[in-house]
Amino acid sequence: MATVSIVGGSGYTGQETLDRVLHHAELQLHAVGSDSLAGREAAALDPRLNRNGGRRVPRFITNDAAIACGADITFLCLAHDEAAAFEPPARGVVVDLSGGHRFLDPAVYEEWYGFAHPRPTELPQWSYALPELSAPSSRLVANPGCYATAALLALWPLRGAIDPDAVVVDAKSGMTGAGRSLRASSHAGSVLENLTPYSVGEHRHAPEIASHLGFPVTFVPHLLPVRRGLIVTCYLSSTGSDLRALLEEAYAESHLVSVLPEGTVPELARVQHTDTAELGLFEDRLTGRTIVVCAIDNLGKGAAGQAVQNVNLLFGFVETAGLRLSGVLV
């Protein structure tokens, strides 16, 4: 078994990663770090932990202690700037769930993340890994952003068969995408019975999408009044290829990404609490444009599930080990 340390275990992505590790037969939880909960029992995070005979979660330690504990795998569930300052251990796999290592160019961090990268010479050591597009290629793994994951799953297989100057991505996410930290924009009075676009024309996932597609897209995110789930609707123009065939071929062997039958639309309800993705492709009868829709769980395939999937690939485990493959049918 491989030992695991989770750094930043009290945030949403940390808690979701913890849950998957506890359900993974090949992973042994070694340490959980949280500066706010250090010294406290796991029940301080969730009273269901260490109850009813499940695998035991140890007492919280500081994030620095969790980093230094010598685990085979370290999941970094920290803020972007905190993860960027992380000094990798001499051995072991590290998966960064933040945006601290998603770009090779350090100038991107100043322009889009608002801080100068403290370890710019180490950025080439990190491999950006969205498994269906590019598997992890080094022991230091940069996990993709949630919006970028959905947009790239929808567009990457089509990138050579569409007009690159006419792609629009309309994206919507549940409020857990903003993290657990309190802010006015995530208060119930701002979110409930509301739908709000934000970071219009300047969201940091836009350059992430562009860097892997090879061209920029118009990207507008919105905050949904739901806890979790993310959906992107992509508007594009084909250059003549069969776009549905390209999508179906790209994901024919995937255990996690499904191209739905013609006429069936992706839905948040089916992907919430899972690590799967649903894709649907439609033709606009009036304009002739193509519409591709992708639904994922922002905390699952958009974060923790994808991080564990990357670990599975690096260690040669079954790719879906520890992952949630289906939601609850109602």
Side-chain angles (χ1 to χ4, degrees):
M1 296 179 72
T3 57
V4 170
S5 175
I6 300 174
V7 182
S10 59
Y12 289 133
T13 57
Q15 191 167 1
E16 291 281 322
T17 302
L18 171 62
D19 182 79
R20 285 158 180 79
V21 170
L22 292 175
H23 289 86
H24 196 303
E26 305 292 341
L27 299 181
Q28 179 181 344
L29 183 64
H30 186 60
V32 184
S34 168
D35 289 341
S36 62
L37 295 177
R40 303 180 66 182
E41 296 291 343
L45 175 65
D46 189 322
R48 293 170 294 184
L49 293 173
N50 293 345
R51 192 174 70 185
N52 300 328
R55 294 172 72 177
R56 189 177 184 282
V57 179
R59 185 188 297 264
F60 283 99
I61 58 177
T62 66
N63 284 329
D64 284 345
I67 291 170
C69 73
D72 299 318
I73 302 161
T74 301
F75 290 103
L76 288 184
C77 304
L78 300 172
H80 307 300
D81 55 343
E82 293 176 322
F86 168 79
E87 182 176 356
R91 59 170 295 276
V93 166
V94 180
V95 183
D96 180 8
L97 281 75
S98 82
H101 297 96
R102 290 175 186 155
F103 298 92
L104 292 175
D105 183 359
V108 175
Y109 296 92
E110 290 194 58
E111 181 178 358
W112 292 91
Y113 283 78
F115 65 87
H117 202 287
R119 309 177 73 86
T121 60
E122 296 176 2
L123 289 171
Q125 299 176 26
W126 293 78
S127 64
Y128 183 93
L130 202 170
E132 288 76 17
L133 280 56
S134 56
S137 59
S138 71
R139 71 180 187 90
L140 304 180
V141 180
N143 221 48
C146 54
Y147 280 129
T149 292
L152 288 171
L153 288 175
L155 297 172
W156 194 83
L158 313 178
R159 67 197 184 284
I162 57 179
D163 180 356
D165 296 322
V167 180
V168 176
V169 179
D170 183 328
K172 300 175 177 66
S173 176
M175 57 191 300
T176 50
R180 202 167 230 148
S181 299
L182 296 178
R183 63 196 75 187
S185 60
S186 61
H187 287 180
S190 298
V191 177
L192 299 181
E193 299 184 59
N194 197 11
L195 178 61
T196 312
Y198 63 97
S199 300
V200 179
E202 57 182 19
H203 195 280
R204 57 177 59 116
H205 284 184
E208 183 180 345
I209 296 167
S211 67
H212 296 281
L213 280 183
F215 53 83
V217 302
T218 298
F219 174 75
V220 182
H222 301 71
L223 181 61
L224 284 173
V226 299
R227 289 185 178 181
R228 58 196 300 158
L230 183 157
I231 195 161
V232 298
T233 303
C234 307
Y235 304 92
L236 46 97
S237 296
S238 171
T239 58
S241 300
D242 184 341
L243 299 186
R244 171 170 284 277
L246 290 174
L247 278 183
E248 290 177 344
E249 180 182 3
Y251 302 117
E253 303 300 322
S254 176
H255 300 288
L256 299 169
V257 182
S258 300
V259 180
L260 301 179
E262 290 190 37
T264 302
V265 297
E267 293 185 13
L268 289 187
R270 287 197 297 266
V271 298
Q272 285 172 324
H273 299 279
T274 80
D275 301 317
T276 63
E278 289 188 352
L279 285 164
L281 185 143
F282 308 87
E283 298 299 328
D284 187 314
R285 292 173 57 187
L286 187 61
T287 67
R289 301 196 79 203
T290 300
I291 302 164
V292 183
V293 182
C294 180
I296 65 173
D297 188 310
N298 56 294
L299 297 176
K301 182 60 175 165
Q306 190 143 261
V308 173
Q309 185 183 0
N310 278 322
V311 162
N312 287 339
L313 293 174
L314 278 174
F315 279 79
F317 301 145
V318 174
E319 185 177 357
T320 56
L323 303 186
R324 305 172 184 168
L325 301 183
S326 61
V328 178
L329 300 178
V330 294

